[in-house]
Amino acid sequence: MTRQPTREGVIAAAQSIADILPPTPLLPVEIGGKQCWVKAESLQPVGAFKIRGGWWRLSNLTEEERARGVVAVSSGNHAQGVAWAARKLGIKAAIVMPRNAPKVKLAATEALGAEIVLYDRPGEDRDEVAAREIEKRGAVLVHAFADAWVIEGQGSAGIEATEQLGRQPPLILACCGGGGLTAGLALACPDSKVVPVEPFGWDMVGQALAKGEIVQVAPDAPDTICDALQPPATRAINLAVLQGRAGPGVTVTDEEVREAQRFAFARLGLVVEPGGAAALAAALAGKLALENDTVIMLTGRNVDPAAYAETIDPR
């Protein structure tokens, strides 16, 4: 039986991560007359919350598994989280990444010492590419979101925010791709309402929660600037955690995301990538009723410089 994530695992992950990383700040911000808080995971050493799941997964590998190395699939942030943890633990890492991933993410992953295996998106099935690499190398898969340890590691952000706030927040808005962070937060903060925020047309977690089953992305799904939030579907391990604990989900448009990026830059002094700004975009666009002490996850800063400059100053 596949190991399932638990709240006890999230707490253990938070303790382990606290030993190697300082907490990311919880920054006050007023939105719609409500006192909210931004959890600035964009300030992690790799520029994203993914360092949490990468560390917790790799630090729980057996010695035999460490010797075999790991393979991960990512457009960039999970790639860097796994690469960072692998370098720290002395483990070989190969990352399957799309050719059209932002160059800044490809370069940062390579700089951390990981081997990059490129695939075409769209065109190739990334999971098939990863399966071939795993078979060839005898390596261990570190899935970006459908892994119990990864889910627990991401959830450590919720434990941290609770300690900083002094209580579990009434509402948490989470940027959502496959549902690893959302599931982890739901385990970490059982008294909170956890809402996944996804790009329009890519709300595979929101649709799965609504229908009670896995939903695949439509073949004609619209383009989105949120490259970090484009898995074709969530997985059973994530949906099992999320059902009854999270949702319903909300979606945001590209322009709403850009507005959130501009807000973060002007009001918070933070650089935020499109996928990392989705939760803030939902709050600013009034997609749901906010409460005092709502926590908004700001999940990544790894932007393409030219695209970001155009977003911030679109003259």
mmCIF file with all atom_site columns, all heavy atoms in Angstrom, residues 12-28:
data_model
loop_
_atom_site.group_PDB
_atom_site.id
_atom_site.type_symbol
_atom_site.label_atom_id
_atom_site.label_alt_id
_atom_site.label_comp_id
_atom_site.label_asym_id
_atom_site.label_entity_id
_atom_site.label_seq_id
_atom_site.pdbx_PDB_ins_code
_atom_site.Cartn_x
_atom_site.Cartn_y
_atom_site.Cartn_z
_atom_site.occupancy
_atom_site.B_iso_or_equiv
_atom_site.pdbx_formal_charge
_atom_site.auth_seq_id
_atom_site.auth_comp_id
_atom_site.auth_asym_id
_atom_site.auth_atom_id
_atom_site.pdbx_PDB_model_num
ATOM 1   N N   . ALA A 1 12 ? 6.305  16.670 11.730 1.00 0.00 ? 12 ALA A N   1
ATOM 2   C CA  . ALA A 1 12 ? 7.698  16.202 11.712 1.00 0.00 ? 12 ALA A CA  1
ATOM 3   C C   . ALA A 1 12 ? 8.494  16.913 10.629 1.00 0.00 ? 12 ALA A C   1
ATOM 4   O O   . ALA A 1 12 ? 9.655  17.283 10.825 1.00 0.00 ? 12 ALA A O   1
ATOM 5   C CB  . ALA A 1 12 ? 7.735  14.687 11.504 1.00 0.00 ? 12 ALA A CB  1
ATOM 6   N N   . ALA A 1 13 ? 7.860  17.113 9.473  1.00 0.00 ? 13 ALA A N   1
ATOM 7   C CA  . ALA A 1 13 ? 8.531  17.831 8.383  1.00 0.00 ? 13 ALA A CA  1
ATOM 8   C C   . ALA A 1 13 ? 8.860  19.255 8.803  1.00 0.00 ? 13 ALA A C   1
ATOM 9   O O   . ALA A 1 13 ? 9.951  19.760 8.524  1.00 0.00 ? 13 ALA A O   1
ATOM 10  C CB  . ALA A 1 13 ? 7.643  17.837 7.144  1.00 0.00 ? 13 ALA A CB  1
ATOM 11  N N   . ALA A 1 14 ? 7.917  19.905 9.474  1.00 0.00 ? 14 ALA A N   1
ATOM 12  C CA  . ALA A 1 14 ? 8.141  21.281 9.924  1.00 0.00 ? 14 ALA A CA  1
ATOM 13  C C   . ALA A 1 14 ? 9.319  21.355 10.886 1.00 0.00 ? 14 ALA A C   1
ATOM 14  O O   . ALA A 1 14 ? 10.126 22.298 10.824 1.00 0.00 ? 14 ALA A O   1
ATOM 15  C CB  . ALA A 1 14 ? 6.875  21.823 10.590 1.00 0.00 ? 14 ALA A CB  1
ATOM 16  N N   . GLN A 1 15 ? 9.445  20.370 11.763 1.00 0.00 ? 15 GLN A N   1
ATOM 17  C CA  . GLN A 1 15 ? 10.560 20.349 12.705 1.00 0.00 ? 15 GLN A CA  1
ATOM 18  C C   . GLN A 1 15 ? 11.890 20.151 11.981 1.00 0.00 ? 15 GLN A C   1
ATOM 19  O O   . GLN A 1 15 ? 12.886 20.818 12.292 1.00 0.00 ? 15 GLN A O   1
ATOM 20  C CB  . GLN A 1 15 ? 10.335 19.235 13.734 1.00 0.00 ? 15 GLN A CB  1
ATOM 21  C CG  . GLN A 1 15 ? 9.145  19.492 14.647 1.00 0.00 ? 15 GLN A CG  1
ATOM 22  C CD  . GLN A 1 15 ? 8.772  18.298 15.498 1.00 0.00 ? 15 GLN A CD  1
ATOM 23  O OE1 . GLN A 1 15 ? 9.143  17.152 15.206 1.00 0.00 ? 15 GLN A OE1 1
ATOM 24  N NE2 . GLN A 1 15 ? 8.029  18.542 16.576 1.00 0.00 ? 15 GLN A NE2 1
ATOM 25  N N   . SER A 1 16 ? 11.891 19.263 10.991 1.00 0.00 ? 16 SER A N   1
ATOM 26  C CA  . SER A 1 16 ? 13.107 19.010 10.224 1.00 0.00 ? 16 SER A CA  1
ATOM 27  C C   . SER A 1 16 ? 13.522 20.238 9.424  1.00 0.00 ? 16 SER A C   1
ATOM 28  O O   . SER A 1 16 ? 14.704 20.616 9.391  1.00 0.00 ? 16 SER A O   1
ATOM 29  C CB  . SER A 1 16 ? 12.893 17.816 9.282  1.00 0.00 ? 16 SER A CB  1
ATOM 30  O OG  . SER A 1 16 ? 14.015 17.605 8.453  1.00 0.00 ? 16 SER A OG  1
ATOM 31  N N   . ILE A 1 17 ? 12.551 20.883 8.796  1.00 0.00 ? 17 ILE A N   1
ATOM 32  C CA  . ILE A 1 17 ? 12.842 22.051 7.970  1.00 0.00 ? 17 ILE A CA  1
ATOM 33  C C   . ILE A 1 17 ? 13.293 23.230 8.822  1.00 0.00 ? 17 ILE A C   1
ATOM 34  O O   . ILE A 1 17 ? 14.158 24.017 8.415  1.00 0.00 ? 17 ILE A O   1
ATOM 35  C CB  . ILE A 1 17 ? 11.609 22.384 7.106  1.00 0.00 ? 17 ILE A CB  1
ATOM 36  C CG1 . ILE A 1 17 ? 11.435 21.286 6.045  1.00 0.00 ? 17 ILE A CG1 1
ATOM 37  C CG2 . ILE A 1 17 ? 11.718 23.760 6.465  1.00 0.00 ? 17 ILE A CG2 1
ATOM 38  C CD1 . ILE A 1 17 ? 10.084 21.243 5.397  1.00 0.00 ? 17 ILE A CD1 1
ATOM 39  N N   . ALA A 1 18 ? 12.732 23.352 10.018 1.00 0.00 ? 18 ALA A N   1
ATOM 40  C CA  . ALA A 1 18 ? 13.146 24.434 10.924 1.00 0.00 ? 18 ALA A CA  1
ATOM 41  C C   . ALA A 1 18 ? 14.611 24.317 11.319 1.00 0.00 ? 18 ALA A C   1
ATOM 42  O O   . ALA A 1 18 ? 15.243 25.326 11.673 1.00 0.00 ? 18 ALA A O   1
ATOM 43  C CB  . ALA A 1 18 ? 12.269 24.432 12.169 1.00 0.00 ? 18 ALA A CB  1
ATOM 44  N N   . ASP A 1 19 ? 15.166 23.112 11.239 1.00 0.00 ? 19 ASP A N   1
ATOM 45  C CA  . ASP A 1 19 ? 16.571 22.897 11.585 1.00 0.00 ? 19 ASP A CA  1
ATOM 46  C C   . ASP A 1 19 ? 17.521 23.411 10.502 1.00 0.00 ? 19 ASP A C   1
ATOM 47  O O   . ASP A 1 19 ? 18.702 23.630 10.774 1.00 0.00 ? 19 ASP A O   1
ATOM 48  C CB  . ASP A 1 19 ? 16.836 21.415 11.834 1.00 0.00 ? 19 ASP A CB  1
ATOM 49  C CG  . ASP A 1 19 ? 16.219 20.908 13.129 1.00 0.00 ? 19 ASP A CG  1
ATOM 50  O OD1 . ASP A 1 19 ? 15.954 21.736 14.022 1.00 0.00 ? 19 ASP A OD1 1
ATOM 51  O OD2 . ASP A 1 19 ? 15.990 19.689 13.237 1.00 0.00 ? 19 ASP A OD2 1
ATOM 52  N N   . ILE A 1 20 ? 17.016 23.569 9.276  1.00 0.00 ? 20 ILE A N   1
ATOM 53  C CA  . ILE A 1 20 ? 17.907 23.950 8.179  1.00 0.00 ? 20 ILE A CA  1
ATOM 54  C C   . ILE A 1 20 ? 17.540 25.274 7.516  1.00 0.00 ? 20 ILE A C   1
ATOM 55  O O   . ILE A 1 20 ? 18.371 25.853 6.805  1.00 0.00 ? 20 ILE A O   1
ATOM 56  C CB  . ILE A 1 20 ? 17.959 22.846 7.095  1.00 0.00 ? 20 ILE A CB  1
ATOM 57  C CG1 . ILE A 1 20 ? 16.568 22.624 6.483  1.00 0.00 ? 20 ILE A CG1 1
ATOM 58  C CG2 . ILE A 1 20 ? 18.521 21.543 7.641  1.00 0.00 ? 20 ILE A CG2 1
ATOM 59  C CD1 . ILE A 1 20 ? 16.593 21.849 5.185  1.00 0.00 ? 20 ILE A CD1 1
ATOM 60  N N   . LEU A 1 21 ? 16.301 25.748 7.734  1.00 0.00 ? 21 LEU A N   1
ATOM 61  C CA  . LEU A 1 21 ? 15.861 26.970 7.070  1.00 0.00 ? 21 LEU A CA  1
ATOM 62  C C   . LEU A 1 21 ? 15.150 27.894 8.054  1.00 0.00 ? 21 LEU A C   1
ATOM 63  O O   . LEU A 1 21 ? 14.363 27.428 8.873  1.00 0.00 ? 21 LEU A O   1
ATOM 64  C CB  . LEU A 1 21 ? 14.883 26.647 5.925  1.00 0.00 ? 21 LEU A CB  1
ATOM 65  C CG  . LEU A 1 21 ? 15.423 25.895 4.712  1.00 0.00 ? 21 LEU A CG  1
ATOM 66  C CD1 . LEU A 1 21 ? 14.277 25.461 3.810  1.00 0.00 ? 21 LEU A CD1 1
ATOM 67  C CD2 . LEU A 1 21 ? 16.414 26.766 3.936  1.00 0.00 ? 21 LEU A CD2 1
ATOM 68  N N   . PRO A 1 22 ? 15.369 29.188 7.957  1.00 0.00 ? 22 PRO A N   1
ATOM 69  C CA  . PRO A 1 22 ? 14.596 30.116 8.785  1.00 0.00 ? 22 PRO A CA  1
ATOM 70  C C   . PRO A 1 22 ? 13.174 30.205 8.256  1.00 0.00 ? 22 PRO A C   1
ATOM 71  O O   . PRO A 1 22 ? 12.920 29.934 7.073  1.00 0.00 ? 22 PRO A O   1
ATOM 72  C CB  . PRO A 1 22 ? 15.337 31.448 8.599  1.00 0.00 ? 22 PRO A CB  1
ATOM 73  C CG  . PRO A 1 22 ? 15.961 31.336 7.249  1.00 0.00 ? 22 PRO A CG  1
ATOM 74  C CD  . PRO A 1 22 ? 16.342 29.886 7.089  1.00 0.00 ? 22 PRO A CD  1
ATOM 75  N N   . PRO A 1 23 ? 12.215 30.595 9.100  1.00 0.00 ? 23 PRO A N   1
ATOM 76  C CA  . PRO A 1 23 ? 10.842 30.745 8.621  1.00 0.00 ? 23 PRO A CA  1
ATOM 77  C C   . PRO A 1 23 ? 10.734 31.894 7.623  1.00 0.00 ? 23 PRO A C   1
ATOM 78  O O   . PRO A 1 23 ? 11.447 32.895 7.742  1.00 0.00 ? 23 PRO A O   1
ATOM 79  C CB  . PRO A 1 23 ? 10.042 31.034 9.892  1.00 0.00 ? 23 PRO A CB  1
ATOM 80  C CG  . PRO A 1 23 ? 11.041 31.583 10.856 1.00 0.00 ? 23 PRO A CG  1
ATOM 81  C CD  . PRO A 1 23 ? 12.337 30.900 10.546 1.00 0.00 ? 23 PRO A CD  1
ATOM 82  N N   . THR A 1 24 ? 9.876  31.726 6.633  1.00 0.00 ? 24 THR A N   1
ATOM 83  C CA  . THR A 1 24 ? 9.609  32.845 5.722  1.00 0.00 ? 24 THR A CA  1
ATOM 84  C C   . THR A 1 24 ? 8.644  33.805 6.405  1.00 0.00 ? 24 THR A C   1
ATOM 85  O O   . THR A 1 24 ? 7.809  33.392 7.206  1.00 0.00 ? 24 THR A O   1
ATOM 86  C CB  . THR A 1 24 ? 9.007  32.347 4.402  1.00 0.00 ? 24 THR A CB  1
ATOM 87  O OG1 . THR A 1 24 ? 7.838  31.556 4.661  1.00 0.00 ? 24 THR A OG1 1
ATOM 88  C CG2 . THR A 1 24 ? 10.017 31.520 3.626  1.00 0.00 ? 24 THR A CG2 1
ATOM 89  N N   . PRO A 1 25 ? 8.750  35.092 6.115  1.00 0.00 ? 25 PRO A N   1
ATOM 90  C CA  . PRO A 1 25 ? 7.931  36.074 6.838  1.00 0.00 ? 25 PRO A CA  1
ATOM 91  C C   . PRO A 1 25 ? 6.449  36.002 6.500  1.00 0.00 ? 25 PRO A C   1
ATOM 92  O O   . PRO A 1 25 ? 6.055  35.578 5.409  1.00 0.00 ? 25 PRO A O   1
ATOM 93  C CB  . PRO A 1 25 ? 8.527  37.416 6.390  1.00 0.00 ? 25 PRO A CB  1
ATOM 94  C CG  . PRO A 1 25 ? 9.211  37.130 5.105  1.00 0.00 ? 25 PRO A CG  1
ATOM 95  C CD  . PRO A 1 25 ? 9.699  35.732 5.189  1.00 0.00 ? 25 PRO A CD  1
ATOM 96  N N   . LEU A 1 26 ? 5.653  36.408 7.474  1.00 0.00 ? 26 LEU A N   1
ATOM 97  C CA  . LEU A 1 26 ? 4.212  36.571 7.313  1.00 0.00 ? 26 LEU A CA  1
ATOM 98  C C   . LEU A 1 26 ? 3.966  38.078 7.316  1.00 0.00 ? 26 LEU A C   1
ATOM 99  O O   . LEU A 1 26 ? 4.102  38.737 8.348  1.00 0.00 ? 26 LEU A O   1
ATOM 100 C CB  . LEU A 1 26 ? 3.481  35.882 8.466  1.00 0.00 ? 26 LEU A CB  1
ATOM 101 C CG  . LEU A 1 26 ? 2.014  35.500 8.282  1.00 0.00 ? 26 LEU A CG  1
ATOM 102 C CD1 . LEU A 1 26 ? 1.851  34.500 7.142  1.00 0.00 ? 26 LEU A CD1 1
ATOM 103 C CD2 . LEU A 1 26 ? 1.453  34.915 9.572  1.00 0.00 ? 26 LEU A CD2 1
ATOM 104 N N   . LEU A 1 27 ? 3.644  38.629 6.160  1.00 0.00 ? 27 LEU A N   1
ATOM 105 C CA  . LEU A 1 27 ? 3.585  40.069 5.977  1.00 0.00 ? 27 LEU A CA  1
ATOM 106 C C   . LEU A 1 27 ? 2.146  40.579 5.997  1.00 0.00 ? 27 LEU A C   1
ATOM 107 O O   . LEU A 1 27 ? 1.277  40.019 5.312  1.00 0.00 ? 27 LEU A O   1
ATOM 108 C CB  . LEU A 1 27 ? 4.232  40.455 4.645  1.00 0.00 ? 27 LEU A CB  1
ATOM 109 C CG  . LEU A 1 27 ? 5.680  39.988 4.441  1.00 0.00 ? 27 LEU A CG  1
ATOM 110 C CD1 . LEU A 1 27 ? 6.146  40.322 3.037  1.00 0.00 ? 27 LEU A CD1 1
ATOM 111 C CD2 . LEU A 1 27 ? 6.602  40.620 5.478  1.00 0.00 ? 27 LEU A CD2 1
ATOM 112 N N   . PRO A 1 28 ? 1.869  41.657 6.742  1.00 0.00 ? 28 PRO A N   1
ATOM 113 C CA  . PRO A 1 28 ? 0.505  42.176 6.810  1.00 0.00 ? 28 PRO A CA  1
ATOM 114 C C   . PRO A 1 28 ? 0.128  42.927 5.542  1.00 0.00 ? 28 PRO A C   1
ATOM 115 O O   . PRO A 1 28 ? 0.944  43.647 4.969  1.00 0.00 ? 28 PRO A O   1
ATOM 116 C CB  . PRO A 1 28 ? 0.558  43.121 8.012  1.00 0.00 ? 28 PRO A CB  1
ATOM 117 C CG  . PRO A 1 28 ? 1.979  43.577 8.065  1.00 0.00 ? 28 PRO A CG  1
ATOM 118 C CD  . PRO A 1 28 ? 2.804  42.416 7.597  1.00 0.00 ? 28 PRO A CD  1
#
